[in-house]
Amino acid sequence: LNIAEDISLYRDDINNGLSDIYPDGPLSLTKPIRYVLQGGGKRLRPLLAIFSAEACGGCKDDVFSAALAVELLHNFTLVHDDIMDQDYFRHGQETVHHKWDDGIAILSGDAMLSLSLNLLNQSPLAQQSQMKIFIEGLLAVCEGQALDKEFETKNLVSLDEYIQMIDLKTGHMVGLSAELGAISAGVDPTVREAVRDYGRLVGRAFQIQDDYLEIFSDSSNMGKSLESDIILGKKTFLMILALEKNSSMMNEELKKAQIDFSKSIIKIREYLDNEGIKESAIMEIDTLLKLADKKLSSLPIDKSKFLYFSELIKRRGH
Ligand code: IPE
Ligand code: IPE
Ligand code: MG
Ligand code: MG
């Protein structure tokens, strides 16, 4: 079997594992949760957890419930993120708060967190240390999301502050996925930390790519609504560079976008392209993914699945 075939089998296993995770309960919880988990997520975090376990000499079964736990945690953060970002479309379908209401979305998210912790608790190996980093990862996401919100109304956000924010909201969770795999395989702390750092850098690249795609891709391709970064004044990688270059022009365009988004997005794209900011983002993503791979270079493990994963991220179109 090659790695691409593995991925498609693992995705099926993950989807099966999530499909009936919460069958009995009030319909206002079971329905939205089933709906979220049947949506078209890429399942990147559980895939990374499984790859990491295998690369470190372990196996899928030992990390599987932890991998599902991380995907549930991720989806819980997305349900709440869509309330915060007022987005109405995700995974090719209406978001929970839009299809139902905010209350249902908050509650479904909370219940998914509980289901996630419960799954992690069933993880066969090294439960204690997995639980510790999982809980830390959860707080990291909250902190990152808090900074993301704070930055909306802050005019001057530096690239350093931005990196700190995305490492918390996205990097920690990807690092956690990789680290859970390493723990399940019982590797020593040096390997475990390097694998975690690999994941964090991949997560950093991933979020910059997400910022990039939110501007340069389209909603049907991404399967999610793509206006909120502009409409809410998010400080994304590209926006920070643009504001540094010519903040009066960009602020003017961001104001106009509130009235005619489709006209403004074309102008914003042109500007980012002409100023070389689009290219800077592409180069930064590439640099970070290379840096991530380098974290693994001296480790006594089979790196092929990690390298494949980095390539997968690099080439992703959605
Ligand atoms: C979306 O993550 C949230 C970010 C961290 C940018 P994914 O793109 O991995 O989410 P899925 O695949 O839709 O679940
Ligand atoms: C999502 O960040 C990160 C978390 C849910 C923690 P974004 O808000 O940038 O991602 P999308 O664009 O909604 O997927
Ligand atoms: Mg957000
Ligand atoms: Mg969002």
Side-chain angles (χ1 to χ4, degrees):
L1 277 183
N2 63 33
I3 301 181
E5 284 167 347
D6 279 355
I7 288 186
S8 120
L9 291 175
Y10 291 168
R11 278 210 172 105
D12 290 346
D13 289 341
I14 292 160
N15 288 331
N16 285 334
L18 294 172
S19 67
D20 208 18
I21 204 86
Y22 182 55
D24 302 314
L27 281 180
S28 58
L29 274 181
T30 54
K31 276 174 94 173
I33 290 174
R34 192 177 307 120
Y35 173 84
V36 168
L37 298 175
Q38 282 171 354
K42 297 180 288 297
R43 312 304 190 209
L44 292 170
R45 293 156 191 78
L47 277 174
L48 177 58
I50 296 169
F51 276 5
S52 173
E54 293 177 335
C56 293
C59 68
K60 186 188 109 203
D61 287 351
D62 286 342
V63 77
F64 194 65
S65 49
L68 292 184
V70 126
E71 183 63 15
L72 263 171
L73 182 71
H74 166 63
N75 277 275
F76 140 66
T77 69
L78 292 180
V79 171
H80 284 192
D81 178 72
D82 286 333
I83 305 173
M84 293 166 59
D85 293 345
Q86 300 160 33
D87 278 321
Y88 50 86
F89 192 57
R90 157 102 53 199
H91 295 153
Q93 57 188 20
E94 264 181 280
T95 52
V96 178
H97 73 97
H98 198 257
K99 188 174 168 69
W100 285 273
D101 58 44
D102 284 3
I104 296 276
I106 292 168
L107 215 56
S108 309
D110 293 343
M112 284 164 72
L113 174 58
S114 168
L115 296 170
S116 163
L117 291 168
N118 196 34
L119 266 170
L120 189 72
N121 211 25
Q122 291 162 25
S123 178
L125 291 170
Q127 280 187 31
Q128 287 299 88
S129 51
Q130 289 193 338
M131 193 56 85
K132 179 175 185 293
I133 61 170
F134 200 88
I135 289 168
E136 286 166 359
L138 173 58
L139 186 63
V141 177
C142 296
E143 290 178 352
Q145 292 284 70
L147 293 177
D148 180 275
K149 268 281 153 203
E150 288 175 21
F151 291 173
E152 285 179 10
T153 49
K154 205 173 155 197
N155 265 328
L156 284 174
V157 174
S158 70
L159 223 41
D160 281 352
E161 289 174 299
Y162 165 82
I163 294 293
Q164 188 199 4
M165 180 272 281
I166 65 167
D167 281 359
L168 286 164
K169 80 167 178 175
T170 304
H172 271 72
M173 191 80 82
V174 182
L176 169 69
S177 308
E179 194 175 2
L180 288 171
I183 291 176
S184 77
V187 293
D188 67 50
T190 331
V191 177
R192 178 178 154 179
E193 279 161 28
V195 162
R196 177 198 67 200
D197 293 347
Y198 161 85
R200 287 199 183 163
L201 281 171
V202 171
R204 194 187 284 179
F206 186 84
Q207 185 61 50
I208 294 175
Q209 203 179 22
D210 195 74
D211 291 355
Y212 170 88
L213 291 167
E214 181 122 355
I215 291 196
F216 287 105
S217 184
D218 59 80
S219 176
S220 61
N221 174 52
M222 296 295 283
K224 61 182 181 184
S225 22
L226 301 183
E227 297 94 7
S228 57
D229 281 0
I230 300 276
I231 299 292
L232 298 178
K234 295 286 189 188
K235 298 304 175 295
T236 67
F237 184 84
L238 301 110
M239 207 42 73
I240 288 171
L241 293 187
L243 289 167
E244 274 175 4
K245 265 193 204 291
N246 188 347
S247 61
S248 55
M249 174 270 161
M250 192 46 82
N251 279 322
E252 203 49 46
E253 206 51 59
L254 289 174
K255 256 186 233 147
K256 288 187 193 158
Q258 309 287 337
I259 296 148
D260 189 347
F261 182 83
S262 44
K263 193 169 159 197
S264 287
I265 188 72
I266 293 168
K267 292 208 168 149
I268 291 170
R269 280 179 188 150
E270 264 172 24
Y271 180 80
L272 295 173
D273 198 356
N274 292 338
E275 294 295 320
I277 294 171
K278 180 182 182 186
E279 190 55 31
S280 298
I282 293 171
M283 277 166 55
E284 186 65 17
I285 295 160
D286 199 53
T287 306
L288 287 168
L289 289 173
K290 287 201 178 96
L291 211 61
D293 288 348
K294 257 178 84 177
K295 289 274 170 201
L296 306 171
S297 57
S298 64
L299 299 185
I301 59 171
D302 174 10
K303 288 169 276 278
S304 54
K305 288 200 170 166
F306 282 123
L307 301 181
Y308 191 95
F309 189 81
S310 316
E311 233 357 82
L312 196 71
I313 300 298
K314 187 176 161 178
R315 289 184 284 105
R316 84 176 171 119
H318 66 278

